[in-house]
Amino acid sequence: MTDHDTHDGPIRVDGELAVATEERQQLIDLSTRALAELLGSAPETDEDGDIVIPVHGFGVFVTVSDESPELHVWSSLLSEVGSRDNTAELVAELSEEWPRLRFSLQQGHLLVSTILDADPFTPQHLVNLIGEIHDLTHELDDDFASRFGGVLDCDADDDSYAGECGGGGCGDGCTCGHGDELGTSIPVGEPEA
């Protein structure tokens, strides 16, 4: 267990570890409930209806698909990314280091994203993915931005993270102790009989 864990085992929704959804609104509600347990309160939504999770000053967005039961989890890491000869190589290095995450350049932004299958919806998968993006934020600092010729796309005064990780906006100075322990920030509990 870590300081930012808010649960003792796998997250359950209505006693279930996975829930088959029948409509988009149900998937939105289930995602919101799972993230509320992680955050300790209901997450905000933006004007597009995306669920917004603050992670060390970076806005992580959960978009529920209109067409199929899937979640698009994404964040802009850098803005003002210029064209450099080694940009594609840097993106490939990130992809190799973080194989569950996808990195892309769009309109001067370096984005991290992934598609999460939600048929059925498993709350723990969403929580684990947010945990992985949290771990990624520990590597995001001015040196990281300068490698891409960009600017961190975050609010340095916002040091919040689900479960009060504590300290350090924009990845700097976080005191949660998990910068070098990938995959350990959100535990996966043992199945109950």
Side-chain angles (χ1 to χ4, degrees):
M1 297 291 288
T2 65
D3 292 340
H4 63 276
D5 294 327
T6 59
H7 51 85
D8 294 333
I11 290 180
R12 294 177 176 268
V13 175
D14 296 332
E16 302 292 328
L17 290 173
V19 181
T21 58
E22 296 179 13
E23 60 183 46
R24 182 176 184 271
Q25 187 57 52
Q26 182 185 17
L27 186 51
I28 292 169
D29 294 343
L30 291 169
S31 298
T32 300
R33 288 174 57 196
L35 292 168
E37 185 167 334
L38 175 69
L39 294 165
S41 63
E44 295 183 20
T45 56
D46 67 10
E47 61 276 356
D48 297 324
D50 295 342
I51 302 167
V52 183
I53 301 112
V55 179
H56 296 307
F58 295 90
V60 178
F61 299 88
V62 178
T63 303
V64 178
S65 173
D66 289 327
E67 285 111 36
S68 61
E70 61 186 26
L71 305 174
H72 181 208
V73 182
W74 63 279
S75 180
S76 176
L77 304 177
L78 300 174
S79 60
E80 302 177 31
V81 175
S83 59
R84 292 185 168 200
D85 292 339
N86 66 340
T87 302
E89 182 180 312
L90 293 171
V91 170
E93 288 174 13
L94 281 173
S95 297
E96 186 174 319
E97 185 177 352
W98 300 92
R100 290 183 45 187
L101 303 175
R102 184 182 76 178
F103 298 89
S104 62
L105 293 170
Q106 293 182 14
Q107 299 176 339
H109 288 268
L110 174 64
L111 303 178
V112 60
S113 67
T114 194
I115 301 292
L116 189 64
D117 182 13
D119 187 19
F121 172 72
T122 306
Q124 192 66 48
H125 291 172
L126 178 57
V127 170
N128 291 348
L129 184 55
I130 298 299
E132 186 154 355
I133 292 173
H134 164 256
D135 292 343
L136 171 66
T137 65
H138 289 274
E139 296 187 11
L140 307 180
D141 57 17
D142 289 335
D143 291 337
F144 176 87
S146 68
R147 287 175 46 208
F148 284 87
V151 176
L152 290 172
D153 199 0
C154 67
D155 178 358
D157 295 328
D158 182 356
D159 61 3
S160 60
Y161 174 65
E164 301 175 17
C165 176
C170 297
D172 287 330
C174 173
T175 59
C176 76
H178 291 281
D180 298 320
E181 300 175 31
L182 301 180
T184 62
S185 60
I186 306 291
V188 176
E190 294 295 318
E192 293 182 13

